[in-house]
Every structure is written in C-alpha cells, then in structure tokens.
Amino acid sequence: MSEHATVESSQVAAVVVMAAGAGTRMKSAVPKVLHRLAGRSMISFAVDAASALEPQHLVVVVGHEREQVEAHLAEVAPQVKTAVQERPLGTGDAVRSGLAVLAGITGEVVVTSGDVPLLTGQTLTELVVSHRDQRNDITLLTAVVPDPTGYGRIVREGATVTRIVEQQDATADERAIDEINAGIYVFDAELLAEGLAGLQAKNAQGELYLTDVIAHAVAAGRRVGARVLDDYLQTEGVNDRVQLAAMAAELNRRILRRAMLDGVTIVDPTTTWIHDGVDLAEDVTLLPNTSLEGATSIGRGATIGPDTTLIDVEVGENATVIRTHAELAEIGDGATVGPFSYLRPGTELGVKAKVGAFVETKKAIIGDGTKVPHLTYCGDAVLGEGVNIGAGTIFANYDGVTKNTTTVGDHSFVGSDSVLVAPVHIAGGAYVAAGSTITGDVGPGELAVARGQQRNIRGWVARRRAGTATDRAAQAALKDAAGLGDQGDTLAGAQRQEEAE
C-alpha cells in the first residue's frame, strides 16, 4: 500500500477480536490477554490495531474470566462491545459468538486475535486495501516463518488459497509448508455468516474451526486470497510466559530503535526498557539499566540513568537524574536528582532544583534553585526558591493520626540534623541552627535554635570506664595537652583522685 493511503480508505463494518481463551499454558489467575508487555495489556494492543480501521462496530469476544477482561476494557476502551463465548468450542464458535451481537451486519468483517501484540493498525489497513484491490470474498494474512510448528498451514493451488490445515490434522507433507495462517482475516459478512452456520467439529480437537469457512468459500466458487506479511513477528501469538518475555523483548527493541532514529541516545539498549506510552524529546541520553514506564516524558537534553526507574514522571529539559526511583513526580528544567534518591508521588522540583544522595521526598514542592542535597526525608513540604536544607534533616510530617505540612520560605537555611515538626512555618530569609528540633514558627530574618545546652563532665571516662582503651587514650591526651611527658602521670593521678573525692 502507498504511504499516503488513508485510514478512511480502509473503514470496515466490524472488527471481531477473539479473546476468550483460557490461556492455560500461562499458568496464571490473570486471563492471558491481560498479561502486559511494554506497560500495556495484550488486548489493548489488539484494540488499538483494530481501531485504526475505524470500524462501525468493534467487538471483543470474551470467555475465560470474562469479568476481569470486561472491567479492563471498560477502563481502556469503553467504545468496545463484548460478546460471550460460553464454552471453548474453537475459533469458529468464537467468531459466531461475536457476530451474534451484530445481527444483520453487511459489508466487511475483520477477524483478529487478542494475543498478537506486535500486530499494527498499518498492517490491518494494508490487509483491507489488498482485499479490495484483489476483489476477494475472503483475504487471509499469512507469513513465511522459520518454524511453522503449531500454526495452521496455507495450502494453495497456484496463487489461490484452497484451505488451511491445522498442525494436529496435517500430513507430513503439509507440515513441511512454511507459510502459516496468522489467524487474521477480512470476510464478506454474508459469506462469513453462511460459512459459520455450516461448521462441523470433524477434527482431532473436536472444535469448530474458523478456517473451515475457507474450504466452504472455495467449494462455493468464491474468491479467496492472501496477503503475505514480510514482518512475520507481527503474526506471533503468546501462549506462555516464555513467549510473553520474547515478545516483550522484541517490542522493546522496536520502541528503542524508533527512539534512537528520532534522536535519542541509548548507551546500552540491552539494559534499557521503555514503555509504549513514554515520550522522549531529541537529544535525550539514556544510560544503562534505565526503565521508563507509564506516561513518563523526558525533555530535550536530559540525561537519565544509570540504574534509574521513572514511572509516570515528567522530566524537564537538560535535567539530570542519576540512580533514582521516582513515581508521579515532576522534575524541572535543569534540575538534578540523585544518586540514590526516591521521589514519591506528588514531588515537584523547580528549575535547577536539587535532590541529592539518599533523599526521599513525598508531596514535596521544591522551588527553583532549592537544594535538598543529602540524607533527608522531605514529606508534605513546600519549599520556596533558593532554600538550602542541611544534611540529615527530617520533615516530621506524621503525628500518628494526620499528615501535616511544613513550609520554608525563600532563601531560608535549615542546618544539618534538624527536625521540623509539622505543622510549622519557617518564613523567608530565616535560619535554623544545626541540630534543632523546631516545633514553632520561625519569623523572617530570625535564627531558630532549639537544642539542649552542652555540658562537658570532667573525668567521666576515668570514673565510669577505668582501665579501658578509651581511658588510656584519655590519659595520653591529657599528657599531650599538658606537654608534661612522664610528669603527666602525676597530673592524671591527681585529677583522678580529685574527681573520685
């Protein structure tokens, strides 16, 4: 098909997506089509591909654990109709169940599957256009594959498809055929309904095969054609977790390749994973062991990684995020995060803000140029511009019942090892002395000191830890301090006697 062919040119009456199978080989309580790759369920990929045709009706046939599938579809594709296959009687019965909710439909019906996640809307569009160009009554999507084991084989007479034979029903010669049925078709609706009505379970599986409609059409003198897909991996289904992992890796490879061609530097594609919904600008650099998930977006010139996971995170231009786990957070232009930072939901970093090593944030709004450099918990906080938070500071936001907020005004300074007990407000231009526990508000330009007065108790080690290495070190230090050499023994003994009395 020409690159300029439009989706409108391939609109169809209906698309039926088969998604009723139990998927027993997945060995899972989760229905097969709800298993995920690149951050999305397999059925969502199938629905997206089908939607590219803008069908008048889009039907998903459900069966095993249908409540879970229907709930998921209601969330991700509310426009979809569902039809129920009550018992697993084969693909023919599945499509018949789908047509039951489309009584009297005429035109073209596309049939596809919910477990072929690499299938694209472009491929379906090309299949429909080919169907029309060849004036077919049925058009199959086929592929030549390295290992056809398990697939239905395409039997031809010249260029004409005469039938499809399933693996378990095939002869040795038929099993040697490497052109396989992808299980994706365009049917004339009336012919499809007629063929389904005449299906019989005359096969090793005791099922109603949709492929027998092909034999019915050939016998009736109808035109059956095929479009061979060069990208055979689009036809590969997922039946177990080994195949799921293989398809996930291939999909990720395609996502990475597209990103690199669009101007993203990916240093190590083998350890970089990107979900389908991620948005990457030009000149982004991704370092090894980076995973970008959900609706994450990365601005131009940003560097992410190594060893970083971002889930639904917005990263601004020229930001740097190193060895960080972040979720539902915003990182401003030119901001720096990490290493070993944890940004929890609700974190917002301003322009050129900094969150450093071993810092955890939660519902924290951190203003432009503000620094939270090391060893800090910053939860339920609003920090203005140019604030500096010293190492080891704790925003004590939870009183055992409610979460409370701390605010720190512009260009204020909080000294190391301080505890800010929420709710508390530190005004702009204020200082908090290191080691303070702040329980009340601090006014503009004030220095808050909230710590006990230091006391040095002379001779405590000599009395309480006599004879230890610490005591010996203390006595040696006394000698050095007094500069008396051996005479220090007399001084130390006198001091000890004085303290003992």
Side-chain angles (χ1 to χ4, degrees):
M1 189 186 76
S2 165
E3 290 181 357
H4 304 291
T6 62
V7 170
E8 286 74 17
S9 70
S10 60
Q11 288 180 331
V12 296
V15 178
V16 176
V17 180
M18 296 181 289
T24 54
R25 281 179 280 173
M26 297 296 287
K27 293 182 171 57
S28 175
V30 177
K32 178 174 73 170
V33 296
L34 296 190
H35 280 265
R36 305 175 76 86
L37 60 170
R40 296 175 52 189
S41 67
M42 284 196 282
I43 191 64
S44 73
F45 284 105
V47 168
D48 272 7
S51 297
L53 299 176
E54 296 188 2
Q56 297 173 34
H57 306 280
L58 177 47
V59 178
V60 175
V61 181
V62 297
H64 177 71
E65 297 289 351
R66 63 177 180 261
E67 295 82 4
Q68 292 186 51
V69 180
E70 288 173 334
H72 178 68
L73 288 170
E75 180 181 349
V76 302
Q79 78 279 11
V80 167
K81 297 179 181 179
T82 58
V84 178
Q85 183 184 20
E86 295 292 350
R87 292 185 296 159
L89 297 178
T91 54
D93 183 65
V95 174
R96 188 159 60 187
S97 300
L99 289 187
V101 302
L102 302 173
I105 192 169
T106 60
E108 297 155 328
V109 175
V110 174
V111 175
T112 183
S113 176
D115 64 355
V116 283
L118 296 187
L119 181 69
T120 68
Q122 179 71 13
T123 293
L124 290 181
T125 298
E126 292 173 354
L127 179 64
V128 170
V129 172
S130 179
H131 175 80
R132 292 175 181 171
D133 287 347
Q134 297 175 25
R135 300 183 182 278
N136 292 332
D137 295 299
I138 302 175
T139 305
L140 295 71
L141 187 67
T142 71
V144 176
V145 299
D147 180 6
T149 303
Y151 289 97
R153 310 303 205 279
I154 301 298
V155 179
R156 293 176 178 266
E157 290 182 4
T160 302
V161 176
T162 58
R163 63 193 179 95
I164 302 169
V165 60
E166 299 299 327
Q167 170 83 19
Q168 57 269 28
D169 301 316
T171 66
D173 288 343
E174 288 168 340
R175 291 183 182 185
I177 297 170
D178 60 2
E179 183 182 7
I180 60 96
N181 174 33
I184 298 162
Y185 317 84
V186 185
F187 290 98
D188 172 78
E190 293 180 359
L191 175 61
L192 175 60
E194 179 184 298
L196 291 172
L199 290 182
Q200 296 181 4
K202 295 181 178 180
N203 52 68
Q205 296 296 101
E207 295 182 349
L208 300 176
Y209 288 161
L210 179 61
T211 51
D212 287 345
V213 176
I214 309 302
H216 166 81
V218 171
R222 307 296 287 269
R223 185 177 178 87
V224 178
R227 180 179 179 86
V228 181
L229 180 62
D230 292 334
D231 181 12
Y232 74 88
L233 289 176
Q234 286 193 45
T235 70
E236 293 228 353
V238 173
N239 294 302
D240 56 37
R241 300 192 195 230
V242 174
Q243 293 173 335
L244 179 67
M247 284 296 100
E250 175 60 23
L251 179 55
N252 188 66
R253 187 193 68 79
R254 296 180 182 212
I255 291 170
L256 296 181
R257 182 177 187 276
R258 185 166 62 244
M260 289 186 282
L261 291 175
D262 288 341
V264 175
T265 295
I266 301 177
V267 174
D268 183 10
T270 62
T271 63
T272 301
W273 291 81
I274 301 178
H275 278 186
D276 185 62
V278 170
D279 181 34
L280 302 173
E282 292 181 6
D283 291 323
V284 166
T285 298
L286 304 181
L287 299 178
N289 296 307
T290 289
S291 180
L292 305 180
E293 304 178 14
T296 293
S297 65
I298 312 294
R300 182 186 294 267
T303 298
I304 311 297
D307 308 319
T308 293
T309 298
L310 305 182
I311 306 169
D312 298 320
V313 175
E314 180 180 340
V315 180
E317 295 185 358
N318 301 308
T320 301
V321 183
I322 304 169
R323 289 190 169 89
T324 291
H325 185 99
E327 183 173 1
L328 288 168
E330 297 180 17
I331 298 170
D333 294 348
T336 60
V337 181
F340 310 112
S341 299
Y342 180 21
L343 308 187
R344 291 167 58 190
T347 297
E348 299 178 21
L349 270 65
V351 175
K352 295 185 177 179
K354 178 177 182 178
V355 168
F358 303 103
V359 172
E360 178 180 345
T361 63
K362 190 272 293 186
K363 286 187 180 179
I365 299 174
I366 298 171
D368 295 349
T370 287
K371 298 178 181 180
V372 188
H374 1 254
L375 299 163
T376 289
Y377 172 68
C378 183
D380 295 283
V382 179
L383 312 183
E385 297 181 8
V387 173
N388 189 290
I389 304 296
T393 296
I394 301 298
F395 289 70
N397 57 331
Y398 185 46
D399 63 8
V401 178
T402 59
K403 299 290 181 70
N404 299 294
T405 301
T406 294
T407 59
V408 182
D410 295 348
H411 300 286
S412 288
F413 183 96
V414 177
S416 297
D417 201 29
S418 294
V419 179
L420 310 180
V421 183
V424 68
H425 172 68
I426 299 170
Y431 271 70
V432 172
S436 294
T437 297
I438 303 299
T439 58
D441 293 350
V442 182
E446 294 180 349
L447 167 65
V449 182
R451 59 194 184 204
Q453 185 175 359
Q454 180 173 324
R455 294 173 58 221
N456 296 345
I457 302 174
R458 292 186 63 193
W460 185 91
V461 170
R463 293 195 304 274
R464 298 296 183 91
R465 300 291 186 267
T468 65
T470 304
D471 183 33
R472 291 191 293 273
Q475 302 313 315
L478 282 170
K479 294 178 186 179
D480 291 342
L484 297 178
D486 292 339
Q487 298 178 22
D489 289 335
T490 304
L491 176 62
Q495 179 180 335
R496 180 175 294 181
Q497 180 64 33
E498 176 186 339
E499 292 162 350
E501 294 174 353

